[in-house]
Amino acid sequence: MIVCSCNIITKHEIEEVVRGFLEQDRWQLITVGMVYHAMRKRGKCCGCFPNAIGIIVDFGEKWHRENNTPQAQILSFVERMRLEHQRTESLKNLAKNRKNGLAA
């Protein structure tokens, strides 16, 4: 499945990069920027970022389950990733509003 049509990035490619990061450090917070940088890509229209973040979160949770991470630790990790996603989305919206003259 193509996730990013600007860069022609597939779900499988994102999952493979996330797998590599998790194998290096199972508790690191993985961002879309890290994933795209590892693939030597950059966000163009950035419309794919929400889907890419969802793939990162879902695959991270799946990877931890497959590697027998205790449930409580998985939930904590996934929650941290979701909170970071919400934080970055809020900052993105704030910047967009400022650019459009909607916020001071």
Side-chain angles (χ1 to χ4, degrees):
M1 172 177 106
I2 301 258
V3 175
C4 174
S5 57
C6 295
N7 290 297
I8 315 300
I9 297 172
T10 65
K11 178 181 179 186
H12 178 74
E13 290 172 311
I14 293 171
E15 290 174 344
E16 287 304 306
V17 171
V18 172
R19 180 187 316 280
F21 282 130
L22 291 171
E23 289 173 354
Q24 290 173 7
D25 176 1
R26 69 185 311 147
W27 299 116
Q28 69 179 304
L29 187 59
I30 301 165
T31 66
V32 174
M34 291 170 59
V35 172
Y36 277 48
H37 182 75
M39 291 189 284
R40 298 189 175 171
K41 307 284 184 180
R42 63 180 178 81
K44 293 180 182 176
C45 78
C46 303
C48 59
F49 281 17
N51 287 337
I53 291 167
I55 292 166
I56 293 167
V57 171
D58 292 344
F59 186 81
E61 183 176 7
K62 177 184 170 190
W63 186 90
H64 278 280
R65 290 189 193 292
E66 289 173 354
N67 287 279
N68 299 316
T69 302
Q71 180 69 18
Q73 290 177 329
I74 293 172
L75 293 175
S76 173
F77 177 70
V78 170
E79 182 61 21
R80 275 185 25 231
M81 290 183 4
R82 288 197 172 139
L83 288 173
E84 181 62 14
H85 170 60
Q86 289 172 351
R87 185 185 75 79
T88 57
E89 284 298 305
S90 294
L91 290 173
K92 182 176 84 174
N93 289 333
L94 180 62
K96 185 178 184 180
N97 289 340
R98 283 187 179 155
K99 180 179 177 183
N100 294 330
L102 299 175

